[in-house]
Amino acid sequence: MAERTTHDWQLIYPTWEPEQQGLREALCTLGNGYIATRGAFEEVNAGGPHYPGTYLAGGYNRLETNIAGRVLENEDLVNFPNWLSLNFRPQDGDWFDIDAVDVLDFSYCLDVKCGVLERQVRFRDANEREFTLTSRRIVHQENPHLAAIEWRLVAHNWSGEIEIRSALDGTVSNQNVERYRQLNSKHLDILETGYDGEDAIFLSVCTNQSHIRMTQAARTQVFEGDVVVPTQRERRDENGRIAQHLFVPCQQQKELRVEKIVAIYTSRDFAISEPGVEARKTVRRASGFADLWRSHQLKWRHLWSIADINLENSDIETQFILRLHIFHLLQSTSTNTIDRDVGVPSRGWHGEAYRGHILWDELFIFPFLNLRLPELTRSLLMYRYRRLTEARHLACTAGYKGAMFPWQSGSDGREESQVLHLNPRSGRWIPDNSNLQRHVNAAIAYNVWRYYQATNDMEFLSYYGAELLLELARFWASITMYNADRDRYEIRGIMGPDEFHTHYPDTDTPGLNNNAYTNVMTAWILRCASGVLQLLDEKRREELTEVLGIGDEELVRWEEISRKMFVPFHEEGIISQFEGYENLKEFDWEGYREKYGDIQRLDRILEAEDDDANCYKASKQADVLMLFYLFSSETLQDLFEYMGYPFDAETIPRNINYYMQRTSHGSTLSRMVHSWVLSRSDREKAWKFFTEALHSDIDDVQGGTTPEGIHLGAMAGTVDLMQRCYTGLDIRDQVLWFNPSLPRELSDIRLRLRYRGHWLSLRFTDEKITVSFDRGWSQPVCVGFQGEVYEMVQGETREFKLA
């Protein structure tokens, strides 16, 4: 485990550890919902432990590669030019290279409270000269087009001339993920490089398929105190890399301060003439580092005032990591995201894993946003709505009705899942059938409904959300098949959330039948869609059903399917993950743990042994248990009884225990879901799973995945455990209900929530709940506790005693 220390708001690495640099770069990424830049050092190029990467939200490009005799087309999140590039060398010396000097002292600190990355390194070069370099970096949260670096440089035992190189590097390519390196990765064409006035440079590039143009402009100045140092400058233009070399005198023990202010614009921005014009204009007008730092801090202070979850009396590390997760959520989806027509990728904009695609992780991310920044959720749901036409085409091509969204989505909403993927253990390219995970369409429907519940945004529901839900319901109805022998509807040839099982052992035909999670979600969606129609006013209901061609006969069929969905069971009360699951072999968990240690990615281990995870009762992550994660026992009981199945809440622990023994937790989402479903029956084990989920990225528990990008869904899920699970927060029948169940390790949780336009301050202790209605609309808000509903008005505070 990497050496680190944490404080309430800071992650500090006190030593230089090259083998940990990839992890640190991902965790120390700075972003503002528009761009994100990994926490690489300013002086490095890609190579060895270093990988400077800058990503534009929604900045994709498509290339073809010939692999294993097949032409594969992949759309990637593009690594755009490296704006960080800043280095120095003393007269007659070498350029600073942390891998080539004697590091005497080192500190690398991410401060999440104000969104700044700081580094201090004292070193001795080959000529015995000692320097201390202190750097600060921000990606501006208020103005998304600005970023800035401040260097403070002290020579301890030498005086002379220093050469400073400030560059914009367009020669970058996509090399962050090792298993993708056999694929074409050169996405950028250089359009223009040049100089603007005495102290600014600019670089314009264009992606070679999607034709996104980006211009970066940089202004670099050197100061002694607050006084600009006159400098000799040389210009270097080197095949896509534009640089200024500044020559300044350096006196022993006297600090030099270097400021690099950068402006970034693209052809997709609003209210601009052209990216180059705007970038050059903005960098000329921009304030110095100190002023940008102040406005950046102010924006972060405002964000934390609504986003923080304060754990009084908790251990410092738990508090910090929770804030680290909130920080990365707010960097991936900030107010700068609104109206930019981008989704929220499962790995953030922090690296190139999954090629920056949008999967189903919204299911775990939106609950936090719904109750803090619902405008963000609405914008991210509009990403799906704008791709409804493509989803309709995808459904039609597959022989279904309605809209079928892809498992992996990028720029235009087509299916971006891989056809082949590389198993790094065996070195073999094997078929990838993950596009059969149709349950992403259940997640989108669920997200629409939960957003409406939290916000009462009838305008969105009427003009966007209802159409999404109805077309998704139509898809789910069309994918079902009637089995007359059972008098039940079935769904065949799909995959569930557990990605280890892609087909039955005795066939190579991809897909499984009657995944329980998918079938139950289908019944819920069909009921929900019919209910949403009744919420609309009569005129809008008539318009929508006429446009979509939905008649009474189709609605009756939806009701029949939802009542007669088949759910497989085996043993007493155990829901089968899919039909035939009980026929699979039990897996030798202890033997494989003894042999391999880490068996989270059991599928890769078995494939390398010429075996197959499809043969065993072994899951990558929670599948059946997702039902207990998404729905309360009361809701599930109602749903199962509606489908004609007996449901006893006492069977929930049996199902949890059954699948917990058969899950490898190969996904970072898995432990978070297990913690949630155990939170009331086994608090000790639930807390263990929570802490493991909490540490999954900061400690890179999967052994190399976090350097390729954080796991945003898992991060959001740990935050939501605090926000909704431990507080027992649930929205039912227009009421905000509380039913807290705090772990022994937590005695005091404080947070603010925005519910239907109302701001509430909440405090949960072992003894009571305190609810304060801070501000909101004129109407009261209804809160519920222990079966009673209470109306609260603005300015009112209520306390509820816990038994």
Side-chain angles (χ1 to χ4, degrees), residues 524-728:
W524 178 84
I525 290 164
L526 292 172
R527 288 183 74 188
C528 182
S530 297
V532 163
L533 264 182
Q534 302 312 309
L535 288 174
L536 305 181
D537 68 71
E538 185 177 351
K539 176 65 174 174
R540 180 56 184 157
R541 183 165 59 247
E542 290 175 359
E543 289 175 349
L544 197 53
T545 53
E546 185 176 14
V547 167
L548 298 179
I550 296 175
D552 292 341
E553 184 178 339
E554 187 168 6
L555 295 174
V556 168
R557 184 168 182 271
W558 291 3
E559 182 182 2
E560 180 185 13
I561 294 171
S562 63
R563 286 187 180 277
K564 292 186 175 183
M565 278 303 303
F566 174 67
V567 180
F569 289 84
H570 71 274
E571 300 184 14
E572 187 177 349
I574 301 298
I575 302 170
S576 297
Q577 186 170 302
F578 52 84
E579 188 174 8
Y581 178 87
E582 68 277 8
N583 298 324
L584 302 181
K585 295 183 287 188
E586 291 288 358
F587 185 70
D588 180 12
W589 292 96
E590 290 306 315
Y592 270 75
R593 286 193 180 100
E594 185 176 343
K595 182 177 181 181
Y596 289 101
D598 181 1
I599 60 170
Q600 293 178 98
R601 289 310 304 267
L602 188 59
D603 55 333
R604 292 175 175 175
I605 292 172
L606 291 173
E607 193 276 333
E609 292 184 345
D610 295 318
D611 202 346
D612 190 348
N614 284 293
C615 298
Y616 301 98
K617 294 175 182 172
S619 299
K620 177 181 177 182
Q621 60 184 311
D623 193 307
V624 169
L625 303 191
M626 282 296 300
L627 295 171
F628 311 130
Y629 171 73
L630 295 180
F631 300 112
S632 66
S633 60
E634 294 84 1
T635 300
L636 281 177
Q637 182 170 353
D638 174 66
L639 187 55
F640 272 84
E641 288 178 355
Y642 180 83
M643 291 188 291
Y645 290 103
F647 182 85
D648 185 346
E650 293 182 2
T651 64
I652 294 178
R654 289 209 298 274
N655 276 274
I656 293 171
N657 184 60
Y658 181 88
Y659 286 105
M660 193 164 57
Q661 296 177 41
R662 293 166 174 83
T663 303
S664 75
H665 304 294
S667 164
T668 55
L669 296 170
S670 188
R671 289 182 174 86
M672 180 270 298
V673 172
H674 277 72
S675 177
W676 188 293
V677 300
L678 285 167
S679 61
R680 294 188 182 274
S681 61
D682 190 336
R683 295 188 191 185
E684 184 176 345
K685 191 171 289 185
W687 184 257
K688 179 177 180 294
F689 276 122
F690 168 75
T691 55
E692 290 174 353
L694 195 70
H695 284 255
S696 60
D697 268 332
I698 197 170
D699 292 330
D700 190 21
V701 298
Q702 290 192 330
T705 63
T706 303
E708 303 168 351
I710 59 156
H711 298 82
L712 199 61
M715 284 187 169
T718 60
V719 176
D720 198 34
L721 275 161
M722 291 290 177
Q723 177 174 278
R724 290 194 303 137
C725 180
Y726 298 148
T727 63

Side-chain angles (χ1 to χ4, degrees), residues 353-370:
Y354 297 158
R355 299 179 175 84
H357 293 158
I358 290 87
L359 286 82
W360 73 316
D361 300 72
E362 302 159 328
L363 189 67
F364 308 95
I365 294 167
F366 285 178
F368 173 80
L369 300 178
N370 286 343

Side-chain angles (χ1 to χ4, degrees), residues 185-386:
S185 59
K186 191 66 176 175
H187 293 282
L188 298 177
D189 292 333
I190 307 298
L191 297 181
E192 186 180 11
T193 57
Y195 304 90
D196 191 19
E198 177 69 21
D199 56 7
I201 56 177
F202 67 89
L203 166 69
S204 295
V205 299
C206 185
T207 55
N208 51 30
Q209 175 273 326
S210 56
H211 303 299
I212 302 171
R213 287 178 293 124
M214 174 185 282
T215 297
Q216 299 179 356
R219 185 187 81 211
T220 307
Q221 294 175 302
V222 182
F223 298 81
E224 285 185 358
D226 294 326
V227 178
V228 177
V229 177
T231 58
Q232 175 191 347
R233 296 173 185 256
E234 291 183 4
R235 299 171 174 180
R236 310 277 175 87
D237 194 343
E238 303 167 347
N239 299 318
R241 192 172 187 271
I242 183 78
Q244 275 192 334
H245 290 242
L246 292 73
F247 299 86
V248 296
C250 175
Q251 298 181 38
Q252 182 174 331
Q253 297 296 344
K254 193 166 185 178
E255 181 181 85
L256 288 176
R257 186 166 59 85
V258 183
E259 287 188 0
K260 182 177 183 179
I261 312 299
V262 179
I264 300 175
Y265 279 84
T266 80
S267 53
R268 296 189 173 182
D269 290 328
F270 304 131
I272 68 168
S273 168
E274 184 273 332
V277 171
E278 296 303 320
R280 294 160 70 179
K281 176 178 69 177
T282 300
V283 85
R284 284 196 305 269
R285 295 176 178 178
S287 302
F289 188 91
D291 286 341
L292 291 175
W293 167 242
R294 280 189 289 271
S295 56
H296 175 71
Q297 279 184 299
L298 180 62
K299 181 64 175 183
W300 271 109
R301 180 160 60 83
H302 292 164
L303 285 172
W304 280 114
S305 72
I306 61 176
D308 192 23
I309 297 178
N310 188 4
L311 308 181
E312 290 288 328
N313 306 320
S314 170
D315 69 277
I316 291 174
E317 182 144 294
T318 298
Q319 175 69 86
F320 170 76
I321 300 176
L322 194 71
R323 284 175 171 154
L324 176 70
H325 291 182
I326 295 171
F327 176 72
H328 284 304
L329 277 165
L330 295 175
Q331 292 198 122
S332 302
T333 58
S334 82
T335 51
N336 299 312
T337 305
I338 296 173
D339 293 333
R340 290 197 179 273
D341 190 35
V342 296
V344 51
S346 61
R347 306 297 286 271
W349 308 113
H350 294 58
E352 296 159 23
Y354 297 158
R355 299 179 175 84
H357 293 158
I358 290 87
L359 286 82
W360 73 316
D361 300 72
E362 302 159 328
L363 189 67
F364 308 95
I365 294 167
F366 285 178
F368 173 80
L369 300 178
N370 286 343
L371 294 167
R372 310 293 185 129
L373 293 161
E375 298 88 353
L376 264 176
T377 307
R378 178 173 171 146
S379 178
L380 296 168
L381 286 170
M382 288 301 295
Y383 167 85
R384 295 295 192 181
Y385 180 81
R386 293 187 186 104

